[in-house]
Amino acid sequence: MTGPTDIVHIDAVALTEAAAATFAAAGCAPEEAWTVADGLVEANLFGHDSHGIGLLPRYVDNLRQGIARAGQSARIVADHGALVGMDGGRGFGQVVGEQAMAVAIERARATGVCVAGLANAHHLARIGRWAEQCAGEGFVSVHFVNVLSRPLVAPWGGTDARLATDPFCVGVPHAPHPLVLDYATSMVALGKVDVALAAGKRMAEGLLLDAAGRPTTDPAVMFAEPAGALLPFGQHKGFALSVMCEILGGALSGGHVQHEHPHPNPMLNNMLSIVFAPDRLVTRDALARQVGELAAWLRGSPLAPGATAIHLPGEPERIAARERTRDGIPLPRRTFAALAGCARALGVAAFDEAGGGVPGGARGAP
Ligand SMILES: NC(=O)c1ccc[n+]([C@@H]2O[C@H](COP(=O)([O-])OP(=O)(O)OC[C@H]3O[C@@H](n4cnc5c(N)ncnc54)[C@H](O)[C@@H]3O)[C@@H](O)[C@H]2O)c1
């Protein structure tokens, strides 16, 4: 079991600086290194450790193997005004994702709407980042994403892994922060199983199958050979949504649906985004008023036993960000040691196991 002393808390800015130094040493230009580091640490800040800094060694390894490529840009390959197709060239998702959303926003500003495909991006990480980029410019967005990785998720009614965790995301601009629905179509993201394994915890019931197709709570089954499977969320409903993520995100983006890939775990994403200007349909004031009315109506429900609040999508992330900006980002010591080891192998002393090399420092959990 993992106790509180197995966790270190690291200042988010210090963590970003250390990660950026590591990516730069691995071959990224300084701006790219910072963008990738910032995207990962932001996922931790928003409470999604599964898509955070713990992925750094994997990204560095992918760069070394040519699975990810430094210095790429989202290249327009199909251009029809409000419909635009782009290819990420296996560039870092944090970079080509931001570029692709900038193109979609520019088009939607001109035409009111843009349907934008981005194929062949290295891991786009937390998809909510892309909805937030659109919402920050006043646009609603819907994102269908498929994942080319080793199969992880069983089809509804099946017993072995055939799909990946295909995330779906919707963002709506609102003050003080946008509403963002952003989740995997599996019961949990694989990274959360990894985080549980690193922390020595069991998963909840109803999330996993072992390699023989039997229900289990053991996170290790996902990393065994042969591996188990995650279940789709919402039974047939989540499965059906993931099929649409495959078709819209995978096929219609110009990418590819889940299939036998020459690399066993390519860690690529394809994404189809629909970005539109809400004020071409209703006034901004009317939208804000209706979101406010809905929130008040929902929050009027008496709390269930054990519940502390009724949240709108996107709120838990903002609460986590406030806490983690104040207290530092909690990382299992094992994860921190892996970051330090990866950086050291590249001649970077930005991390070390005690956190002494990180400005702001690592400290044990209070
Ligand atoms: N790039 C990829 O290949 C890939 C694959 C899978 C997942 N992901 C990312 O992993 C992250 C985590 O995915 P997940 O499936 O574990 O997410 P999750 O199950 O933690 O759900 C998060 C979503 O649910 C909302 N939410 C959480 N609690 C809520 C509550 N009490 N009331 C209302 N809304 C609530 C959040 O605001 C957010 O929109 C996401 O950012 C996703 O994009 C990426």
Side-chain angles (χ1 to χ4, degrees), residues 84-292:
V84 58
M86 289 168 269
D87 188 285
R90 297 209 305 273
F92 281 109
Q94 290 80 358
V95 173
V96 296
E98 186 176 321
Q99 292 168 344
M101 288 306 98
V103 169
I105 289 165
E106 183 196 304
R107 300 285 171 104
R109 215 186 292 286
T111 62
V113 61
C114 179
V115 180
L118 173 64
N120 207 18
H122 184 256
H123 197 226
L124 286 161
R126 192 180 69 86
I127 305 305
R129 186 171 171 92
W130 314 124
E132 285 149 13
Q133 185 180 342
C134 296
E137 299 286 334
F139 293 89
V140 174
S141 63
V142 183
H143 308 261
F144 294 86
V145 182
N146 91 324
V147 191
L148 298 182
S149 69
R150 69 180 169 96
L152 297 168
V153 182
W156 184 243
T159 52
D160 71 349
R162 299 278 159 155
L163 289 164
T165 52
D166 295 355
F168 177 68
C169 177
V170 181
V172 175
H174 190 63
H177 56 73
L179 273 61
V180 179
L181 173 166
D182 171 28
Y183 43 59
T185 47
S186 50
M187 285 294 285
V188 286
L190 181 68
K192 292 204 169 151
V193 186
D194 198 15
V195 168
L197 189 65
K201 293 182 179 159
R202 309 234 14 132
M203 302 294 290
E205 307 238 346
L207 308 182
L208 297 174
L209 300 177
D210 68 15
R214 290 174 306 226
T216 178
T217 59
D218 179 4
V221 299
M222 290 309 298
F223 306 97
E225 191 53 58
L230 302 169
L231 285 166
F233 89 93
Q235 304 183 340
H236 60 285
K237 299 183 187 193
F239 168 60
L241 183 56
S242 70
V243 171
M244 293 305 173
C245 285
E246 286 291 328
I247 296 169
L248 275 78
L252 284 169
S253 67
H256 208 294
V257 295
Q258 180 75 18
H259 64 306
E260 296 273 354
H261 196 275
H263 187 278
N265 201 356
M267 210 180 189
L268 295 177
N269 280 135
N270 302 297
M271 173 164 76
L272 186 93
S273 303
I274 302 164
V275 180
F276 66 94
D279 50 7
R280 305 267 179 122
L281 295 171
V282 294
T283 66
R284 280 176 196 272
D285 283 352
L287 175 63
R289 194 175 56 249
Q290 295 230 35
V291 172

Side-chain angles (χ1 to χ4, degrees), residues 288-342:
R289 194 175 56 249
Q290 295 230 35
V291 172
E293 282 173 8
L294 178 66
W297 168 246
L298 296 173
R299 292 193 218 281
S301 178
L303 287 180
T308 53
I310 291 168
H311 295 301
L312 295 185
E315 282 180 348
E317 284 73 14
R318 300 292 161 165
I319 294 167
R322 273 199 298 279
E323 288 173 4
R324 290 177 167 207
T325 301
R326 184 190 62 216
D327 301 338
I329 290 171
L331 291 176
R333 264 185 208 285
R334 249 167 82 172
T335 304
F336 191 63
L339 298 176
C342 176

